[in-house]
């Protein structure tokens, strides 16, 4: 079979290796769609904190079950599925307390271990989720949607609260949709005019161009009070500071973005505002179940999240284009 791999920053190639064989408790899957995550793009650029090389990218995917053992836990050959790609050790302090999404030895597909961008992969059956009639292309959005959804859940949003999402990439968009689903008034913020313009098709309440006057815009949008919840979905020092500064007194800040740079800031602001700051890592089983249920309701414009689809053979081109034109692309997918 063929597979896509990142040999080193800036270099993507097609490789060939033997077909995998499903072991006990595993299913053999034929890939259908795979999304290029921001972390995959970071691995391509050499900026992702958890990257190693060479690396097969990909942890957002849909697939068809080709082979499965007799005890398939309700899964059958021919079913379309997605999967939880965060492998936890099961023995560390976090895992023993049930916080498997922040396992101390976490290995996410495409990051700390090879990912799904192969024509065939194997997965433990207990990590699979049925499509429930959702199209393969949309099922490949379940994992990235879960990232934003998991973070927003931490904020415990109340109906009518004001939320600012910083970053109008895929994770920012799905976090904003999740906050809107929770009943919030949602503004989204980005430095890229193109992203903000595209974000308007999702029907958020406000669109803020990030720049030197952000403080004034926040004051105008919130009557000088700040946002009840701010969500950082970029992973840069400045956007983290934006999230802290834009939060209201006694507000909540959700940190989803991943970066490699340090930040220097007046930490007393956390005490002065009595902010609750939450890190959000990965997602858990319940997030996948709830997000797939949301997809089935049919009122989330999933097709608008996917802006570009490339055939498998043009995987290198997909990464190059996404790298050069990320301000104009949202979710880039590879069709296997």
């Amino acid at each position: 079979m063929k597979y896509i791999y990142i040999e080193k920053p800036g270099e993507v190639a097609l490789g060939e290796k033997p077909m995998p064989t499903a072991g006990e408790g595993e299913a053999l899957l034929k890939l259908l769609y795979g999304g290029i995550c921001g972390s995959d793009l970071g691995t391509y650029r050499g900026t992702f904190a958890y990257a190693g090389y060479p690396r097969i990218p990909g942890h957002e995917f849909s697939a068809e079950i080709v082979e499965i053992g007799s005890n398939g836990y309700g899964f059958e050959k021919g079913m379309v599925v997605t999967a939880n790609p965060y492998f936890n050790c099961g023995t560390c302090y976090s895992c023993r307390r049930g916080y498997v999404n922040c396992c101390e030895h976490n290995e996410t597909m495409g990051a700390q271990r090879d990912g799904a961008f192969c024509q065939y992969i194997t997965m433990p059956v207990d990590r699979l989720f049925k499509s429930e009639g959702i199209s393969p292309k949309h099922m490949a959005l379940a994992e990235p949607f879960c990232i934003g959804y998991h973070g927003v859940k931490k904020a415990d949003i109340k109906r009518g609260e004001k939320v600012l999402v910083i970053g109008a990439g895929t994770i920012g968009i799905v976090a904003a949709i999740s906050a809107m689903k929770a009943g919030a008034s949602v503004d989204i913020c980005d430095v890229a005019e193109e992203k903000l313009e595209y974000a308007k098709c999702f029907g958020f309440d406000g669109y803020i161009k990030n720049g030197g006057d952000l403080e004034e815009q926040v004051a105008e949008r919130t009557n000088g009070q700040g946002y009840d919840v701010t969500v950082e979905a970029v992973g840069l020092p400045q956007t983290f500071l934006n999230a802290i500064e834009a939060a209201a007194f006694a507000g909540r800040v959700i940190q989803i973005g991943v970066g490699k740079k340090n930040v220097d800031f007046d930490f007393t602001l956390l005490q002065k505002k009595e902010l609750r700051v939450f890190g959000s890592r990965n997602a858990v089983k319940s997030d996948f179940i709830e997000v797939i249920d949301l997809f089935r309701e049919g009122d989330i414009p999933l097709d608008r999240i996917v802006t570009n689809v490339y055939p498998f053979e043009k995987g290198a081109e997909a990464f190059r284009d996404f790298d050069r034109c990320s301000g104009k692309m949202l979710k880039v997918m590879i069709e296997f």
Side-chain angles (χ1 to χ4, degrees):
M1 68 166 187
K2 293 180 180 178
Y3 64 98
I4 296 169
Y5 70 102
I6 302 173
E7 186 170 4
K8 59 183 180 181
E11 292 190 16
V12 176
L14 278 179
E16 200 166 298
K17 63 179 181 177
M19 284 268 293
T21 303
E24 184 68 28
E26 294 184 329
L28 177 65
L29 306 178
K30 177 183 179 181
L31 262 286
L32 299 175
Y33 285 90
I36 299 179
C37 177
S39 60
D40 296 322
L41 184 59
T43 301
Y44 175 78
R45 290 172 168 170
T47 59
F48 183 51
Y50 305 122
Y53 304 90
R55 179 64 70 217
I56 299 173
H59 53 259
E60 312 171 358
F61 64 90
S62 61
E64 178 186 344
I65 297 175
V66 176
E67 291 178 9
I68 193 166
S70 56
N71 188 2
Y73 301 98
F75 292 92
E76 299 175 359
K77 181 177 177 180
M79 280 185 172
V80 174
V81 296
T82 191
N84 180 333
Y86 325 115
F87 284 77
N88 61 293
C89 71
T91 58
C92 72
Y93 188 45
S94 296
C95 286
R96 295 200 308 273
R97 290 180 295 153
Y99 301 116
V100 295
N101 59 302
C102 50
C103 167
E104 296 169 32
H105 310 291
N106 173 79
E107 291 188 356
T108 297
M109 295 172 66
Q112 296 93 342
R113 63 163 61 196
D114 279 336
F117 281 9
C118 309
Q119 290 178 311
Y120 295 87
I121 62 170
T122 58
M123 284 293 292
V125 175
D126 62 5
R127 289 185 167 273
L128 300 180
F129 298 93
K130 300 175 185 177
S131 65
E132 306 287 0
I134 299 165
S135 74
K137 186 190 292 185
H138 291 169
M139 274 300 281
L141 290 172
E143 190 277 339
F145 206 103
C146 282
I147 295 294
Y149 182 82
H150 179 80
V152 166
K153 271 174 62 175
K154 286 183 170 295
D156 190 24
I157 291 170
K158 306 296 188 295
R159 184 165 294 279
E161 288 190 310
K162 293 183 180 295
V163 174
L164 175 66
V165 176
I166 301 172
T170 301
I171 301 303
I173 292 290
V174 300
I177 293 171
S178 299
M180 201 161 55
K181 280 282 189 180
S185 169
V186 181
D187 292 350
I188 195 161
C189 171
D190 204 284
V191 297
E193 292 277 10
E194 299 96 331
K195 283 188 174 180
L196 284 177
E197 190 61 35
Y198 190 78
K200 290 179 180 178
C201 71
F202 296 100
F204 304 127
D205 295 279
Y207 307 86
I208 298 176
K209 175 73 163 58
N210 201 348
D213 64 341
L214 181 61
E215 185 177 349
E216 289 82 0
Q217 293 187 74
V218 168
E220 182 181 343
R221 291 290 302 166
T222 65
N223 295 318
Q225 297 168 345
Y227 289 90
D228 300 293
V229 177
T230 61
V231 180
E232 200 287 334
V234 179
L236 292 174
Q238 186 56 51
T239 47
F240 170 75
L241 293 178
N242 293 156
I244 296 292
E245 291 159 358
F249 279 65
R252 289 96 79 199
V253 178
I254 310 297
Q255 178 63 39
I256 301 178
V258 179
K260 293 177 73 173
K261 297 180 180 179
N262 295 337
V263 62
D264 182 8
F265 77 109
D266 179 7
F267 63 87
T268 302
L269 194 57
L270 303 181
Q271 178 272 336
K272 180 180 179 182
K273 288 187 172 183
E274 198 178 60
L275 295 178
R276 284 165 283 174
V277 182
F278 299 88
S280 179
R281 187 177 188 187
N282 298 335
V284 296
K285 183 175 182 178
S286 60
D287 297 322
F288 281 88
I289 293 169
E290 291 164 17
V291 162
I292 290 170
D293 283 344
L294 283 177
F295 284 10
R296 290 179 65 199
E297 291 176 6
D299 60 351
I300 297 175
L302 298 173
D303 279 329
R304 293 176 183 173
I305 297 175
V306 182
T307 56
N308 305 81
V309 180
Y310 290 76
F312 173 69
E313 295 78 10
K314 293 188 177 181
E317 182 180 333
F319 274 90
R320 283 196 303 270
D321 290 352
F322 198 15
D323 178 40
R324 295 169 184 165
C325 307
S326 57
K328 299 179 180 179
M329 295 176 163
L330 199 53
K331 176 51 61 186
V332 177
M333 279 198 182
I334 293 174
E335 184 175 5
F336 286 78

